[in-house]
Amino acid sequence: MKNKIPETPKILLILIITVQTIYAAKTVAVLEIIPKAGIEIEMSTAEMRHLTDELRRQAIVALPRSEYSVLTRDNMIALLPPDEEEAECLAESCAVDIGRAIGAEYISAGQIGLFSGDFTLSIELYETLSGKLLGSIVMESPDIRGLLTAIRAQAPALFAEIKLSENVKKVESVELKVESEELKRQETQENNFQLSTLNSQSQKKSKTPFYVALGLDIVGAAILGVGLYTHMDASDKYDKYKNMPPNLNEEEYSKVYKDVDAAKADRNIFYAIGSALLVTGIAVHIYF
């Protein structure tokens, strides 16, 4: 390929984009605007590239930088396959396939055509994971400047569909969480009833095993409480990690992520010990 990027900087770029994608921001790719197949357009490559740059700029303006990262032209070139034949094959694929190949969550593609002597420009926006079409716009103009004006007017609403889609997902996630909390509440009530029954039965048995079992239950529940607190602490640290600015170096990312791992490890230890003590207490209730 032309303008081949050295392997080491290319690997570093991929790592940076990967970190942004997973922990910091959703990645949005804006493909180059191209003529529709089989149509000859009196428009230079530089002019089409200028329209693409304006579309990409509108994506940057429309989407919060703390949540979304718009790939530059150089970013996408670096992520394309190094083999020229493979890259050409990919270029002939649909936008969703290209988005998946470069690891972008969302991707837009635009094509220029002709209608009754006027230029037409159609732009589509996809979610790459599902292949879902989030939105599309079509504009007409007798000249290139008119298309540029139309992009500025219509593109912000198109890219706003990304944020709207994310909000819908969050609502669905909250609904699932509410259902999960209700199930947990019911399970807690059932567990409390079972524990109450076991305690009532154990009162008829020897007092010493009863107090031993009760002590194990209390200690186990207390440790589980510490584990729950540690779990909340780990969640807070992970939220802090996700909200870190994307321009920090790897050492700063690594330091915060190690804190998250340490909190998760502590949480698992407390859960394991607390559960073991609680189960042991219940076993003493049953057998003594």
Side-chain angles (χ1 to χ4, degrees):
M1 293 181 63
K2 296 181 180 179
N3 301 325
K4 186 175 181 181
I5 296 177
E7 288 300 320
T8 300
K10 180 176 179 179
I11 292 173
L12 291 175
L13 177 60
I14 293 173
L15 288 174
I16 293 171
I17 293 174
T18 301
V19 169
Q20 290 178 340
T21 300
I22 298 175
Y23 300 110
K26 300 287 185 180
T27 306
V28 181
V30 178
L31 295 182
E32 297 297 314
I33 294 174
I34 60 174
K36 290 184 177 180
I39 298 180
E40 294 185 3
I41 304 294
E42 294 183 1
M43 186 181 298
S44 68
T45 301
E47 290 171 327
M48 285 186 283
R49 182 167 288 187
H50 183 64
L51 293 177
T52 303
D53 289 339
E54 181 59 32
L55 181 62
R56 191 173 287 120
R57 191 182 74 84
Q58 292 300 324
I60 294 173
V61 172
L63 298 171
R65 295 191 180 184
S66 61
E67 300 177 32
Y68 300 94
S69 175
V70 180
L71 295 179
T72 65
R73 181 180 290 108
D74 291 339
N75 288 157
M76 289 186 286
I77 291 174
L79 292 171
L80 288 173
D83 182 78
E84 185 172 353
E85 293 184 1
E86 187 178 355
E88 290 178 355
C89 179
L90 181 62
E92 296 173 356
S93 304
C94 70
V96 172
D97 291 334
I98 298 175
R100 291 170 181 167
I102 64 177
E105 279 85 3
Y106 301 95
I107 191 165
S108 73
Q111 291 187 326
I112 293 179
L114 292 173
F115 181 76
S116 298
D118 289 342
F119 289 117
T120 65
L121 174 57
S122 59
I123 302 171
E124 296 178 336
L125 178 66
Y126 295 92
E127 182 184 53
T128 56
L129 182 61
S130 64
K132 178 182 178 182
L133 176 65
L134 297 182
S136 63
I137 52 177
V138 178
M139 53 200 75
E140 300 177 8
S141 175
D143 54 39
I144 300 171
R145 186 170 296 278
L147 292 180
L148 191 66
T149 301
I151 288 175
R152 292 169 179 165
Q154 300 184 43
L158 176 65
F159 288 109
E161 293 293 333
I162 294 177
K163 187 65 176 175
L164 178 62
S165 175
E166 292 289 337
N167 290 337
V168 171
K169 290 179 182 178
K170 289 179 180 179
V171 171
E172 293 175 348
S173 176
V174 170
E175 292 176 348
L176 290 175
K177 184 177 181 180
V178 170
E179 293 178 0
S180 176
E181 291 296 331
E182 178 63 21
L183 289 175
K184 289 180 180 179
R185 186 184 66 80
Q186 294 177 0
E187 290 176 357
T188 301
Q189 290 178 343
E190 292 176 359
N191 290 337
N192 290 338
F193 175 77
Q194 292 174 359
L195 288 174
S196 177
T197 302
L198 290 173
N199 288 335
S200 177
Q201 293 175 350
S202 66
Q203 289 176 358
K204 300 177 182 180
K205 302 177 183 179
S206 174
K207 294 298 183 180
T208 300
F210 169 77
Y211 288 121
V212 171
L214 184 60
L216 290 172
D217 291 341
I218 293 174
V219 175
I223 294 177
L224 285 176
V226 176
L228 179 60
Y229 174 81
T230 309
H231 175 79
M232 295 170 63
D233 182 54
S235 298
D236 290 338
K237 289 181 177 179
Y238 183 65
D239 289 339
K240 176 183 177 183
Y241 178 79
K242 290 194 300 182
N243 293 325
M244 289 180 69
N247 59 347
L248 297 180
N249 57 46
E250 291 293 329
E251 182 178 356
E252 292 173 309
Y253 278 114
S254 177
K255 180 180 178 181
V256 177
Y257 195 69
K258 285 180 180 179
D259 290 341
V260 175
D261 278 343
K264 289 181 178 179
D266 292 341
R267 174 201 63 189
N268 293 337
I269 291 173
F270 285 127
Y271 278 168
I273 295 175
S275 299
L277 291 175
L278 195 59
V279 170
T280 302
I282 294 174
V284 173
H285 276 300
I286 295 174
Y287 293 105
F288 296 93

